[in-house]
Amino acid sequence: MQEPQLDVRLRPVPLTEWPREMKDALAPVISPTPRPEGTPKGMNVLGTFAHHPSLARAFHVFIGHVLYATTLSARQREILIVRVGATRGAYYEWAQHVVLGREAGLTRAEIAALSGDGDGEVRWSPLDAALIRAVDDLIADARIADDTWAALAAEMSTEQILDVICTVGGYDMLAMIMRSAGIELDADLRAWIDAYAAAEQAGVAGPDGR
């Protein structure tokens, strides 16, 4: 995915200037397990939410479920989010979830395919293919098509299908915020993505060691 030119409309609030309410607002999205050393922190998106701490709290309660209490596997969740970010042209969202997608086990070829590059190189399972179609259906029509629904329902519970819809919807909304505000990549996230792209071209291990 190519990084677009940004019109920065809303600068993130610097960490030293965050309102006190942001501490509570962050609680739902603090990872319950330690993140790998060197993982980008995504401070610019959090700094953007610091303009509106009560909204940040409400959104983070919801997105905390999507990230940490979902009935989906981490791999399934990241298939959905990487596809949303790529489809919406939300580069910040896409970049963050390339990092998380790799942690969840997505291969470089799978990430490229989800991003619209090299789709023929990946043989998706029927369920993975249905998850990708669900993203495309929801973004195009706000409705999972009948054949996609049937494919999901053959292997997933009602709770899982609802989590699919809400994961796509939540990250579609976040893509709107990121693109409308013009959130730029943090230095640590940019360095990670640049190293990942360079490693991909060279055919060597990337910043995640794979």
Side-chain angles (χ1 to χ4, degrees), residues 109 112-114 116-124:
L114 290 167
D117 181 22
D119 192 44
E121 300 177 9
V122 176
R123 292 191 175 186
W124 299 103

Side-chain angles (χ1 to χ4, degrees), residues 67-149:
L67 289 172
Y68 305 126
T70 180
T71 59
L72 305 176
S73 70
R75 173 186 162 79
Q76 290 168 342
R77 180 194 69 217
E78 294 307 317
I79 285 173
L80 298 172
I81 299 172
V82 171
R83 186 68 166 190
V84 171
T87 301
R88 283 302 195 197
Y91 192 76
Y92 193 108
E93 180 170 276
W94 174 86
Q96 275 195 313
H97 287 273
V98 168
V99 178
L100 293 173
R102 292 290 285 165
E103 288 180 23
L106 292 179
T107 68
R108 294 182 187 183
E110 287 171 336
I111 288 171
L114 290 167
S115 307
D117 181 22
D119 192 44
E121 300 177 9
V122 176
R123 292 191 175 186
W124 299 103
S125 71
L127 180 55
D128 286 350
L131 290 170
I132 297 166
R133 291 200 307 275
V135 175
D136 297 345
D137 291 347
L138 288 166
I139 287 178
D141 195 39
R143 179 182 184 272
I144 294 176
D146 291 343
D147 58 342
T148 308
W149 183 278

